[in-house]
Amino acid sequence: ERLTNQIAAGEVVERPASVVKELIENAIDANSTQINILLEEAGLKKIQVIDNGTGISPEDAESAFKRHATSKIHSRDDLFRIRTLGFRGEALPSIASVSEITFETATENASQGTYLYLKGGKIEENQPSVLRQGTKIIVENLFYNTPARLKYVKTLQTELAHIGDIVNRLALSHPNVAFYLVHEGNQMLSTSGNGDLKQTMAGIYGVQTAKKMREIQAQDLDFKIHGYVTLPEVTRATRNYLSTIVNGRYIKNFALNKAIVNGYGSKLMVGRFPIAVIEIEMDPLLVDVNVHPTKQEVRLSKEQELTTLLSKTINERLREENL
Ligand code: ADP
Ligand code: MG
């Protein structure tokens, strides 16, 4: 069991940013409206995530660290209309198998919460904790028992950049959640959580940049598109500023990124990319999130129809600006 978890960890927990991603996704799935993330040494020494979500009852707290103990899928049918970010029940046992974890959780109105301490995936302490609704998880000394994995970790600066990137995208895909990210006392990100995508973008890319972005909107029988794109003169040298969100889930999809760029036609300078945040709503049956354990790559049915609609929408919006 513990070996299986360590092997699974190799797929789910590539680097500190993967841990941050899984913990935040759990907080979001628990209906949190405020998520605070505190880091030390780019997460290698310490990752602390505090949420105000539903919490877990004392009876169920330990089972959260058992393999495939997801509370989110109840039937085979559920697999085909996944709305939660997690569903494999792999993240917590995988992370626990390669770190030390302090876990405190309490449900609303519970007379007491639960405190767990785990090392290398083994539960070493289980005690009642003082009442407080939500969950606080501290992951320390990541990869302490898997030196091979530790060797693949890059410089702290690189790892921190990966964390910043993933938290940005999770914040963009959840404008109704207030995110607060701090690394060794330095605030990296703070979003209001008031539900407004444009304000969330301002919290991430800066007020000036957000002001220069244009809203796009389109709909056909299968897809609903809404988002913001920069004018061609406000561009970046990397693709990292292209964010695509399908049914509330941030995804990586090469074809969609290409469709955004294509929408600019020849107006973009070679090698430059716009900043774009695109929300897409579609029938969950058209989305296959079961492609990869990290659930970032998804397969989309009718992808061609969607990319054509997206390019066309951006193109027409820019033309309205006489570009
Ligand atoms: P998954 O998210 O795929 O279900 P995880 O291993 O990430 O699997 O989490 C296991 C279970 O622990 C979840 O299904 C959920 O019931 C519970 N859980 C984890 N984190 C939280 C949290 N922050 N708040 C409430 N419940 C949580
Ligand atoms: Mg999860």
Side-chain angles (χ1 to χ4, degrees):
E1 169 91 9
R2 278 166 79 190
L3 183 62
T4 320
N5 286 336
Q6 277 197 5
I7 292 167
E11 289 173 31
V12 185
V13 195
E14 200 187 340
R15 53 179 6 138
S18 345
V19 175
V20 172
K21 171 177 175 292
E22 296 293 338
L23 299 183
I24 294 177
E25 289 189 344
N26 281 345
I28 293 169
D29 283 345
N31 294 322
S32 305
T33 56
Q34 171 82 51
I35 303 175
N36 295 348
I37 306 118
L38 302 172
L39 308 167
E40 283 175 33
E41 289 182 17
L44 283 165
K45 185 157 178 250
K46 183 170 174 180
I47 297 168
Q48 174 175 313
V49 176
I50 305 176
D51 71 48
N52 63 350
T54 56
I56 312 178
S57 66
E59 308 86 75
D60 294 334
E62 281 201 7
S63 71
F65 290 92
K66 299 219 170 81
R67 210 167 150 67
H68 301 308
T70 181
S71 61
K72 298 168 191 172
I73 294 272
H74 305 286
S75 69
R76 196 171 173 282
D77 277 357
D78 286 354
L79 257 186
F80 296 97
R81 40 181 133 81
I82 289 164
R83 270 274 169 182
T84 52
L85 297 171
F87 57 87
R88 288 170 184 270
E90 269 179 355
L92 285 189
S94 300
I95 295 165
S97 73
V98 293
S99 68
E100 288 169 53
I101 290 189
T102 310
F103 191 76
E104 260 183 283
T105 189
T107 56
E108 199 182 356
N109 303 325
S111 55
Q112 64 177 35
T114 308
Y115 167 95
L116 300 178
Y117 175 75
L118 297 92
K119 189 164 183 181
K122 200 171 149 275
I123 295 172
E124 307 212 320
E125 274 183 66
N126 180 345
Q127 288 170 22
S129 86
V130 289
L131 181 89
R132 116 172 222 297
Q133 194 207 326
T135 300
K136 170 177 172 180
I137 180 165
I138 305 174
V139 176
E140 283 170 292
N141 303 323
L142 187 62
F143 302 135
Y144 80 96
N145 56 354
T146 49
R149 175 61 54 177
L150 201 54
K151 259 200 344 216
Y152 283 101
V153 168
K154 305 279 195 306
T155 63
L156 293 189
Q157 209 182 341
T158 303
E159 295 307 330
L160 197 59
H162 280 283
I163 293 174
D165 191 54
I166 195 74
V167 180
N168 281 352
R169 289 176 201 270
L170 285 164
L172 285 170
S173 48
H174 297 88
N176 50 350
V177 179
F179 286 83
Y180 181 64
L181 173 64
V182 174
H183 180 245
E184 291 176 2
N186 299 314
Q187 179 184 310
M188 291 174 68
L189 164 79
S190 172
T191 65
S192 75
N194 73 351
D196 185 65
L197 178 59
K198 192 153 191 183
Q199 275 195 29
T200 309
M201 291 187 322
I204 291 168
Y205 299 128
V207 179
Q208 289 313 314
T209 304
K211 252 192 211 154
K212 289 184 197 139
M213 294 177 84
R214 294 295 181 266
E215 191 168 22
I216 60 157
Q217 218 149 4
Q219 187 166 3
D220 72 4
L221 279 178
D222 296 304
F223 303 105
K224 209 168 145 184
I225 295 174
H226 171 258
Y228 292 89
V229 297
T230 48
L231 298 175
E233 68 265 21
V234 187
T235 57
R236 296 290 187 272
T238 76
R239 285 181 182 77
N240 285 349
Y241 298 84
L242 303 176
S243 300
T244 47
I245 297 151
V246 172
N247 295 344
R249 181 193 300 272
Y250 153 68
I251 65 156
K252 275 187 184 153
N253 183 295
F254 181 76
L256 287 180
N257 284 352
K258 195 159 164 242
I260 296 169
V261 172
N262 284 346
Y264 286 76
S266 57
K267 296 176 194 96
L268 276 184
M269 259 173 21
V270 178
R272 302 290 290 186
F273 298 89
I275 304 171
V277 181
I278 311 289
E279 301 172 320
I280 300 159
E281 288 291 326
M282 57 196 280
D283 184 342
L285 287 173
L286 297 178
V287 190
D288 180 4
V289 292
N290 281 304
V291 185
H292 190 266
T294 64
K295 300 162 256 123
Q296 276 184 30
E297 281 148 50
V298 304
R299 214 173 275 138
L300 303 174
S301 306
K302 308 199 189 183
E303 187 178 273
Q304 178 71 53
E305 177 192 329
L306 175 59
T307 54
T308 306
L309 179 67
L310 181 54
S311 297
K312 189 175 129 252
T313 307
I314 293 173
N315 192 268
E316 283 171 1
R317 185 67 184 86
L318 295 176
R319 242 188 287 151
E320 276 173 36
E321 303 279 332
N322 293 319
L323 289 161

